[in-house]
Amino acid sequence: MRSTFIVLCIFFFSGQIAHAQRFTQVSTGSIATTNLSSGGCSWADYNHDGYPDLYVSNTSTSNQLFKNNGDGTFQEVTTGGIVTDGGISNSAVWGDYDNDGNLDLFVSNNPPQNMSPQLNFLYKNNGPPTYGFTAVSTPATQTHANYTWSSSWVDYDNDGDLDLHMPDNKHLAKDYFYENNGMGGFTAVTPSFVTPLVESTGIASWIDYDHDGDQDLFMIKSGRSHFSGREDHRMYHNLLKETGTLSFSQVTTAAIVKHRDLDFQASWGDYDNDGDMDVYLGNFDNHNYLYRNNGDSLFTRMTFGPHVQENNATLGSTWADFDNDGDLDLYVLNTNLQASRYYENDGSGNFSTQLFSAIGPPVSNISAAQGCATADFNNDGYLDLFVANSFSAANARNYLYRNNGGSNHFIAITCEGTLSNAAAIGTKVWVKATINGVSRWQLRHITGCPTGNHSQDDLRVHVGLGDATTIDSIKIEWPLGLVETYTNAASDQFLTYVEGAMTGLQKPFPDGQGLTVFPNPVQDVLTYRLKGVPLGTRYTVSLLDVTGRIVDTAIAIVETLESNVSTMAIAKIPPGIYFLEVRTETQFQVVKVIKD
């Protein structure tokens, strides 16, 4: 069941800090002491208790799920296929593929090149009361095997459900893309970006880099298994919004796709607070890349600063406002027994290297690091960090780093889709506040893609606010086009916003009440029932297409508590996916409708 509240809890702080952020290494519990070979890590609150949990993908043993106890500790889940199925797993990504309000998990397996490809795993979250998982037998997991470095959830066709991109990594098997059929299953399709055998992808990043309302694609071609050792990357511009038809145009001339190097991952974030998404490319060949988004679908390579000049073998990175000062800092995960790096953003787009004396163990532990991801696991308002390590290091233990916090303010936002996919993947969240006397917007993008080399940051949005105790505006751009703006919010809160809630005045109907469509799929006449609404209640019912455009609408009054059945003629509308929305003065609900 989806939550129906807006504010979870509130913390108050005061003042401001102006120095780097320090971390403490957690040294107790199996989350921090188990010596395994791990490939990646993924944060998500899978059981709706308000605290992010952690899934760790392991390459030589079964995977691990750690349930957050809410007191700064974790309980390892030891039963169920999600932690016993084995597999040579590199990564996992959370997303609600069946739109039931509970986060599901897709696990990518990537065996060595001298082994046969493996099937991947899809686990459905069974929801309350146990929040256990069931392995799902679909084409996405039981038909096609490949060498999957990282997979991605994305609503690439803006139909309100999550599709799945499953690229190959070793040029030994195919890339696969699965279109969600809206009924809990998937169909393998071959859009233009699904490349043939010799052009397998490696990493796929879905991001609306041009802010036109559809998801574009950037694909890392690491070249590690390519005969030439180097490949150009691939970028595809989604033309759905421009043309009304789902198609992709390949970008071939931009510098970001032409540098032919051993990049292994892409981390997207608006580091300069100019309102578009920039990208940092972690490179295994001792030089990383930062590309600044020009706002015109082109990117400029930035060449000055330690974050692009220090020579390290990098496998991952993540953007996060660790010190809550209102700009994104950068954590770069180095491997081959090299220390990782923490680069502090000064607010003007310049970065400085922070050493152990300022940061602590995240930049001093020597390891064969594989992946990293962030979440505020103890809900103190500051982002924490998990690092997954490989067995190739003498000390292969994974690391959990707790942020020591400070006095800067923050806002944390969970988004729940109704028209859009329930996990709100693809949503943009804008926060405007006055920090140090300067009014600024900050942008965050909720993604179902790997964010730190086959790892995934928490889906909950975190924005640092410096000395700002109030927020001027919170603007949420939902994937299907609805834009909702909330004003005059207090800082230091954990908020939940539901798509279509109209500034919190309307709440979703409780379970067992509200709107039912039958049969569904429908043909010429749409029949619906409204249940649990008092006599005399005035309501509006609207049929919307996948872009959010109203196809038909009607206003009615509840005149009986018995059947309360109504119809809408839809013979003249084309087949496809639609949404039937009902609103009363205090409640709302959206139901997906398939027109045959």
Side-chain angles (χ1 to χ4, degrees):
M1 185 176 98
R2 299 188 191 178
S3 62
T4 60
F5 48 84
I6 296 298
V7 181
L8 288 173
C9 52
I10 303 175
F11 298 95
F12 292 99
F13 301 96
S14 62
Q16 179 185 359
I17 58 173
H19 53 78
Q21 203 61 33
R22 192 164 184 85
F23 295 79
T24 296
Q25 184 175 333
V26 176
S27 58
T28 58
S30 59
I31 193 171
T33 58
T34 305
N35 196 346
L36 298 173
S37 180
S38 299
C41 49
S42 305
W43 292 98
D45 179 13
Y46 77 88
N47 59 356
H48 294 297
D49 65 354
Y51 289 88
D53 312 291
L54 181 68
Y55 192 80
V56 179
S57 307
N58 294 318
T59 59
S60 61
T61 61
S62 293
N63 300 316
Q64 296 170 287
L65 176 62
F66 296 96
K67 184 171 66 175
N68 195 326
N69 294 325
D71 59 0
T73 66
F74 293 82
Q75 175 186 349
E76 184 173 357
V77 176
T78 57
T79 59
I82 196 169
V83 294
T84 62
D85 282 345
I88 302 176
S89 302
N90 256 18
S91 69
V93 283
W94 296 95
D96 187 357
Y97 79 90
D98 53 0
N99 281 341
D100 66 352
N102 302 303
L103 288 173
D104 313 299
L105 187 71
F106 188 81
V107 179
S108 299
N109 293 320
N110 185 24
Q113 191 165 332
N114 60 358
M115 293 177 60
S116 299
Q118 290 185 350
L119 296 172
N120 298 311
F121 305 139
L122 175 62
Y123 297 102
K124 172 179 167 53
N125 188 332
N126 298 327
T130 62
Y131 291 99
F133 292 85
T134 299
V136 178
S137 297
T138 72
T141 58
Q142 297 302 310
T143 301
H144 298 145
N146 66 357
Y147 300 89
T148 314
W149 188 262
S150 291
S151 298
S152 297
W153 293 110
V154 59
D155 183 6
Y156 88 126
D157 50 3
N158 278 11
D159 67 351
D161 50 38
L162 291 176
D163 312 297
L164 180 65
H165 196 173
M166 195 178 85
D168 178 73
N169 180 53
K170 291 189 172 68
H171 295 275
L172 299 174
K174 284 185 174 183
D175 289 357
Y176 293 100
F177 192 89
Y178 298 94
E179 204 169 89
N180 194 324
N181 62 23
M183 306 297 289
F186 296 87
T187 301
V189 295
T190 54
S192 61
F193 54 80
V194 174
T195 51
L197 178 66
V198 296
E199 296 290 350
S200 51
T201 298
I203 302 292
S205 290
W206 288 90
I207 192 83
D208 185 10
Y209 66 78
D210 57 354
H211 286 298
D212 65 350
D214 50 36
Q215 299 299 302
D216 308 300
L217 175 61
F218 177 70
M219 298 195 296
I220 294 271
K221 305 284 218 171
S222 70
R224 54 187 246 136
S225 301
H226 193 263
F227 65 90
S228 71
R230 295 288 189 275
E231 294 177 89
D232 287 344
H233 299 320
R234 302 287 188 272
M235 181 177 285
Y236 291 86
H237 180 57
N238 192 334
L239 300 177
L240 178 60
K241 285 293 185 179
E242 289 92 331
T243 66
T245 302
L246 181 65
S247 61
F248 291 83
S249 172
Q250 185 173 355
V251 178
T252 59
T253 59
I256 194 172
V257 300
K258 299 298 289 185
H259 68 233
R260 297 180 67 84
D261 219 329
L262 289 176
D263 300 330
F264 269 69
Q265 63 91 58
S267 293
W268 293 83
D270 183 13
Y271 79 91
D272 50 3
N273 283 338
D274 66 349
D276 48 39
M277 300 296 286
D278 314 296
V279 62
Y280 190 81
L281 305 181
N283 187 277
F284 195 69
D285 202 20
N286 293 326
H287 45 276
N288 298 323
Y289 297 84
L290 174 61
Y291 283 94
R292 180 180 180 273
N293 192 330
N294 298 340
D296 54 6
S297 299
L298 297 176
F299 293 80
T300 298
R301 181 184 173 189
M302 312 305 290
T303 58
F304 177 78
H307 54 305
V308 293
Q309 292 177 321
E310 292 184 343
N311 295 323
N312 301 292
T314 297
L315 277 185
S317 62
T318 186
W319 295 102
D321 189 357
F322 289 111
D323 53 5
N324 283 354
D325 65 350
D327 50 52
L328 290 174
D329 308 302
L330 179 64
Y331 184 73
V332 175
L333 191 69
N334 294 320
T335 190
N336 285 358
L337 302 183
Q338 295 177 330
S340 297
R341 294 288 188 270
Y342 180 107
Y343 299 109
E344 185 177 351
N345 191 337
D346 68 358
S348 61
N350 297 314
F351 294 85
S352 58
T353 304
Q354 300 297 311
L355 303 178
F356 173 81
S357 58
I359 301 302
V363 296
S364 63
N365 284 326
I366 304 298
S367 64
Q370 296 294 307
C372 63
T374 63
D376 180 8
F377 78 81
N378 56 358
N379 280 357
D380 67 349
Y382 280 79
L383 287 172
D384 310 295
L385 178 68
F386 188 86
V387 174
N389 281 303
S390 157
F391 253 143
S392 58
N395 181 5
R397 182 159 58 97
N398 295 328
Y399 298 127
L400 175 61
Y401 300 113
R402 183 181 65 247
N403 193 325
N404 292 350
S407 55
N408 277 347
H409 300 283
F410 75 98
I411 196 73
I413 297 171
T414 299
C415 293
E416 297 183 358
T418 53
L419 285 171
S420 305
N421 69 89
I425 286 171
T427 299
K428 304 184 193 76
V429 178
W430 302 77
V431 175
K432 183 181 181 182
T434 300
I435 302 174
N436 294 334
V438 178
S439 179
R440 70 178 70 169
W441 283 99
Q442 296 185 66
L443 170 64
R444 300 291 186 269
H445 188 281
I446 301 175
T447 178
C449 305
T451 51
N453 189 43
H454 39 80
S455 297
Q456 186 181 25
D457 294 332
D458 189 13
L459 294 175
R460 183 170 63 181
V461 167
H462 179 97
V463 179
L465 297 172
D467 63 349
T469 58
T470 60
I471 300 167
D472 299 327
S473 298
I474 298 173
K475 183 172 68 173
I476 301 178
E477 295 184 17
W478 299 95
L480 294 192
L482 180 64
V483 178
E484 297 179 294
T485 301
Y486 303 81
T487 58
N488 298 321
S491 61
D492 305 321
Q493 297 188 71
F494 293 83
L495 304 177
T496 295
Y497 291 118
V498 179
E499 184 180 17
M502 294 185 64
T503 322
L505 297 178
Q506 294 169 311
K507 311 296 184 186
F509 282 95
D511 286 354
Q513 298 183 21
L515 188 65
T516 303
V517 175
F518 58 94
N520 193 6
V522 301
Q523 293 183 338
D524 293 343
V525 178
L526 188 158
T527 304
Y528 59 92
R529 176 186 288 116
L530 196 58
K531 182 180 179 182
V533 180
L535 282 173
T537 299
R538 181 184 176 91
Y539 67 92
T540 301
V541 61
S542 302
L543 186 67
L544 301 91
D545 64 17
V546 294
T547 69
R549 181 180 63 88
I550 295 177
V551 177
D552 197 0
T553 189
I555 299 175
I557 296 176
V558 176
E559 297 178 346
T560 175
L561 295 181
E562 297 302 322
S563 61
N564 201 23
V565 173
S566 301
T567 61
M568 180 180 291
I570 60 171
K572 295 183 178 180
I573 70 172
I577 295 175
Y578 297 86
F579 302 94
L580 190 66
E581 174 191 78
V582 63
R583 290 184 182 275
T584 70
E585 186 175 328
T586 59
Q587 293 176 303
F588 82 102
Q589 187 177 356
V590 181
V591 174
K592 183 182 293 185
V593 175
I594 298 176
K595 167 72 182 329
D596 283 342

